[in-house]
Amino acid sequence: QSALTQEASVSGTVGQKVTLSCTGNSNNIGNYAVGWYQQISHGAPKTVMFGNSLPSGIPDRFSGSKSGTTASLTISGLQPEDEAAYYCSTWDYSLSAVVFGGGTKLTVL
Amino acid sequence: QLQLQESGPGLVKPSETLSLTCTVSGDSISNPYYYWGWIRQPPGKGLEWIGSIYYSGNTYYNPSLKSRVTISVDSSKNQFSLKLSSVTAADTAVYYCARLPGFGGAGSTDYWGQGTLVTVSS
């Protein structure tokens, strides 16, 4: 069981806005930056959001936010190439460890 | 442009030690703003953090793997390495090296290597 909870699957149509969530607690998301990673067809993960920063080369339709102990990744204007698994991670103070969510499979209909 | 490249044997026998090296180019491994880490992904499963190291040599390990893991850094070669002892089939996975910015808690990565599959089998 992962320390961070993500939806198992989310789907959306081309052009739609979708939001993925990552829920933790005050020992992790509540106090540390969250990273989001895109993994297409079991290739290497790619960072699409670090904290509130968009890495170079990532389209600005990706955005991140955090409220309390839940982080969110929003994709505005969903594209077919966004179909992938998305993972979140952060530091957990009580575990003294980096913790990951179980991942969300995003399907573009 | 930062690049990380994993290298090491793709096949390890049960009970032996898995050894991987990550070569960093485009940044100094002694950059005080970053940690360097190992993350793995068993076939069909999610991502699991193995451990991280700071250029000073300070290490942080996944509690579930701590007894078997050693991560070290070689600043002269701009490399860091992973050793995982007493491996079993459960350690079969794609192993990734990554850079973790220290600001924000060093719990997130900004760059990943391409990954290397390590199979544990006799």
Side-chain angles (χ1 to χ4, degrees):
Chain A
Q1 188 172 355
S2 303
L4 305 180
T5 301
Q6 298 184 249
E7 302 94 342
S9 62
V10 170
S11 62
T13 57
V14 173
Q16 189 178 6
K17 181 171 77 173
V18 296
T19 298
L20 313 182
S21 69
C22 175
T23 301
N25 57 44
S26 58
N27 292 320
N28 44 63
I29 290 180
N31 281 286
Y32 297 99
V34 176
W36 288 92
Y37 318 105
Q38 176 192 66
Q39 187 175 39
I40 297 174
S41 297
H42 303 293
K46 178 170 66 174
T47 300
V48 293
M49 188 64 56
F50 174 79
N52 293 323
S53 299
L54 197 65
S56 173
I58 302 302
D60 60 7
R61 63 177 180 272
F62 288 86
S63 62
S65 63
K66 186 168 69 168
S67 177
T69 58
T70 297
S72 300
L73 177 71
T74 298
I75 308 173
S76 302
L78 197 61
Q79 297 298 307
E81 59 265 31
D82 298 332
E83 183 164 292
Y86 290 83
Y87 295 89
C88 59
S89 80
T90 189
W91 180 257
D92 189 294
Y93 176 80
S94 65
L95 298 174
S96 292
V98 176
V99 291
F100 280 91
T104 296
K105 171 60 179 172
L106 173 63
T107 301
V108 181
L109 301 172
Chain B
Q1 176 76 358
L2 178 70
Q3 290 187 321
L4 300 97
Q5 179 67 59
E6 304 89 351
S7 59
L11 181 65
V12 182
K13 291 183 169 55
S15 78
E16 295 189 345
T17 296
L18 177 160
S19 296
L20 295 175
T21 296
C22 182
T23 301
V24 179
S25 58
D27 190 12
S28 169
I29 207 162
S30 298
N31 188 324
Y33 292 104
Y34 299 100
Y35 292 72
W36 306 90
W38 290 95
I39 295 157
R40 70 180 183 179
Q41 185 173 36
K45 296 187 178 181
L47 300 168
E48 179 183 35
W49 174 72
I50 300 170
S52 301
I53 190 166
Y54 194 54
Y55 79 97
S56 62
N58 287 354
T59 52
Y60 307 86
Y61 298 137
N62 186 322
S64 68
L65 299 171
K66 188 173 184 177
S67 63
R68 300 193 291 130
V69 174
T70 302
I71 296 176
S72 59
V73 65
D74 187 337
S75 299
S76 66
K77 295 181 179 179
N78 222 37
Q79 296 176 334
F80 62 104
S81 299
L82 167 70
K83 291 189 185 299
L84 180 65
S85 64
S86 304
V87 298
T88 69
D91 295 309
T92 294
V94 176
Y95 286 75
Y96 298 99
C97 59
R99 188 177 78 169
L100 298 90
F103 42 92
S108 307
T109 73
D110 60 356
Y111 282 94
W112 298 72
Q114 65 182 30
T116 186
L117 174 63
V118 178
T119 301
V120 178
S121 175
S122 55

